[in-house]
Amino acid sequence: MAWLPGEWAYGLAARWVGLWPGCQSEDVYGSYDAVPQEQFAEVLLRTGKLAETKTEGQTLFPATEVLLQLASDAFPRDMTLSLAYLLALPQVLDANRCFETQSHSALSLQLAAYYYSLQIYNHLVPCLKANTHTLYRADPKELIRLVTQHVTAHSDWPADVEELIGQLQVYNERLTDLTQAQVLQGLGRGVDTRRFSSDAHYKKQTILGLTETLDDSVWRISLSLAQRYSIPLWDIYMTHLEFLFTDSGLSTKDIEGRVDTLALFDCLKSEPESFHSHMSKYVLTSVEGTDLPRLLYYYTLLEECCGSYCSSVITPDTHIKLLKKLRSVTTGLDYRKMTDEVSDPLAALEPVLTSQNVLSISKLANRLPRPGGVWFLLAQCTQPG
């Protein structure tokens, strides 16, 4: 019979003191020898079971609702007693009705995982009928770990055990989600722990947001979370590279160093078309037109990754050659304005032309948009005065 006598339930709770720190409030066990005031549900349960015994099991008492009520009432003050009531349920899965009404704290989720670990163990090695079995003296966390490890390593379980395994996995996942969310909250990033545990989109955006950092410990956490929640590494690296260009405050040289150190490019170049699209849409617009070293690095990355996917008039390779030359002969040139295929390149070139650089720039004119106008301007500048 699945039902546990009330006295056995109290004894079970007493034996677990110290095995599960924090599972009871201080006043519950301070005067444990005192007989607690009986609830109506307890009286009803005892009366029903006595009647069932009197008829030698011919009249079964429907104990499920009473046990669930007792478990829910005991949950806030004595979780081990609550567990004892749940273990007495005729149908194992009915315990979910209690667990799902509790707030998702780390302790309540661990209790649910422990409950299903006990039930799975009992299916594999029947032992719950013996109220002194050493299983009840085992460390709950260790039991959860061992049962989870065992059922994960094997397959082809009977259907009833498969159901229990599914519930164990659900509560293990929720516990891990909650733990991860609490770690993130501890970073001071304003993470909503409850939403992180239940909203897949929010979870992904939160993890991608963590990549926007120069703190190596936070970066490692973001990689760990991405792996756990199957977020593509490409998305993680691309978000971080965008951050380096746009909001990190690093010099171009430092950005290059970090990209090399983290080996970002080895992964990013695996999706050249997506890389080109993302860089053009989100990164280029953040680079100042006069920051020629940053633009040179930007186009170097494009050329190495996706030169063949660029459909603009000026290819990344041409940009690289122009920037290397112009960087050495001009100061203050707005390169993006000169090459954006919309603005007149003359307007960008004219302020920076001098007698010292006009010949060098003239050799580059045929690589620019609308080179005829540029040639005219250069001719005017080179005429004797």
Side-chain angles (χ1 to χ4, degrees):
M1 185 178 294
W3 179 69
L4 303 177
E7 293 78 6
W8 191 89
Y10 282 111
L12 176 65
R15 284 196 295 273
W16 282 348
V17 176
L19 286 180
W20 203 336
C23 66
Q24 69 283 325
S25 57
E26 292 181 0
D27 61 337
V28 172
Y29 294 104
S31 56
Y32 198 83
D33 292 335
V35 178
Q37 184 176 357
E38 285 191 316
Q39 301 180 44
F40 174 74
E42 290 176 306
V43 175
L44 181 60
L45 179 62
R46 181 175 290 108
T47 302
K49 284 300 176 180
L50 285 172
E52 183 178 300
T53 302
K54 185 176 181 180
T55 62
E56 297 182 350
Q58 292 184 6
T59 303
L60 296 178
F61 175 69
T64 297
E65 297 301 327
V66 179
L67 287 168
L68 287 173
Q69 183 62 52
L70 287 168
S72 294
D73 292 345
F75 211 97
R77 57 184 174 82
D78 191 338
M79 297 184 80
T80 52
L81 179 59
S82 177
L83 178 61
Y85 285 127
L86 293 175
L87 287 171
L89 287 168
Q91 300 298 321
V92 174
L93 294 177
D94 283 340
N96 279 352
R97 294 166 56 188
C98 175
F99 293 136
E100 293 300 325
T101 61
Q102 308 304 319
S103 61
H104 283 187
S105 67
L107 196 57
S108 67
L109 292 172
Q110 190 177 47
L111 183 68
Y114 182 47
Y115 170 83
Y116 280 108
S117 295
L118 284 170
Q119 296 289 7
I120 292 169
Y121 191 102
N122 183 56
H123 271 71
L124 301 179
V125 186
C127 58
L128 288 185
K129 291 182 181 180
N131 61 11
T132 58
H133 196 279
T134 55
L135 177 65
Y136 302 115
R137 303 180 187 277
D139 185 329
K141 292 181 181 179
E142 183 66 10
L143 179 66
I144 294 171
R145 186 187 69 80
L146 290 174
V147 171
T148 300
Q149 187 179 63
H150 181 72
V151 299
T152 302
H154 300 81
S155 57
D156 299 326
W157 297 106
D160 54 345
V161 177
E162 194 71 51
E163 282 187 307
L164 301 181
I165 292 172
Q167 291 303 310
L168 174 61
Q169 291 171 338
V170 166
Y171 288 108
N172 275 340
E173 288 288 325
R174 289 182 184 177
L175 179 60
T176 301
D177 285 353
L178 183 65
T179 303
Q180 298 286 16
Q182 289 172 340
V183 170
L184 298 183
Q185 195 174 49
L187 297 175
R189 297 298 185 99
V191 178
D192 184 331
T193 57
R194 185 175 294 275
R195 189 176 174 192
F196 184 90
S197 302
S198 59
D199 186 333
H201 177 73
Y202 178 78
K203 184 181 298 178
K204 179 177 181 179
Q205 294 305 311
T206 298
I207 295 171
L208 290 178
L210 283 180
T211 69
E212 299 178 357
T213 182
L214 298 176
D215 185 325
D216 288 340
S217 62
V218 177
W219 169 250
R220 286 191 294 270
I221 290 173
S222 71
L223 292 178
S224 175
L225 290 173
Q227 182 178 20
R228 164 157 182 76
Y229 296 112
S230 302
I231 297 174
L233 193 59
W234 193 94
D235 291 353
I236 296 294
Y237 282 6
M238 187 69 253
T239 303
H240 188 63
L241 180 62
E242 179 186 338
F243 161 74
L244 293 179
F245 269 89
T246 59
D247 296 312
S248 68
L250 294 180
S251 66
T252 299
K253 183 178 180 180
D254 289 338
I255 291 175
E256 290 186 54
R258 187 164 180 83
V259 169
D260 292 341
T261 299
L262 299 179
L264 301 183
F265 201 61
D266 291 343
C267 172
L268 293 174
K269 66 183 180 182
S270 65
E271 298 185 29
E273 192 168 3
S274 297
F275 182 77
H276 175 258
S277 175
H278 195 101
M279 292 290 282
S280 301
K281 187 175 182 179
Y282 298 107
V283 176
L284 180 59
T285 55
S286 71
V287 181
E288 292 290 337
T290 55
D291 191 347
L292 303 194
R294 184 70 57 90
L295 287 167
L296 177 59
Y297 183 54
Y298 169 87
Y299 285 112
T300 299
L301 290 178
L302 283 190
E303 173 61 19
E304 292 180 5
C305 178
C306 52
S308 60
Y309 287 91
C310 300
S311 58
S312 56
V313 174
I314 307 178
T315 65
D317 179 60
T318 300
H319 278 296
I320 293 170
K321 292 174 181 177
L322 284 170
L323 284 162
K324 285 182 176 179
K325 186 65 177 179
L326 291 169
R327 185 175 60 171
S328 64
V329 299
T330 65
T331 301
L333 171 66
D334 190 332
Y335 182 82
R336 285 185 55 199
K337 184 177 179 181
M338 185 186 75
T339 58
D340 66 7
E341 302 176 22
V342 176
S343 303
D344 187 348
L346 301 179
L349 275 172
E350 191 168 9
V352 300
L353 283 175
T354 67
S355 57
Q356 286 78 28
N357 65 21
V358 65
L359 290 178
S360 298
I361 294 177
S362 67
K363 298 176 182 178
L364 308 175
N366 62 342
R367 299 177 181 176
L368 301 176
R370 296 193 286 178
V374 177
W375 279 115
F376 177 78
L377 173 63
L378 294 173
Q380 293 293 317
C381 292
T382 54
Q383 285 181 0

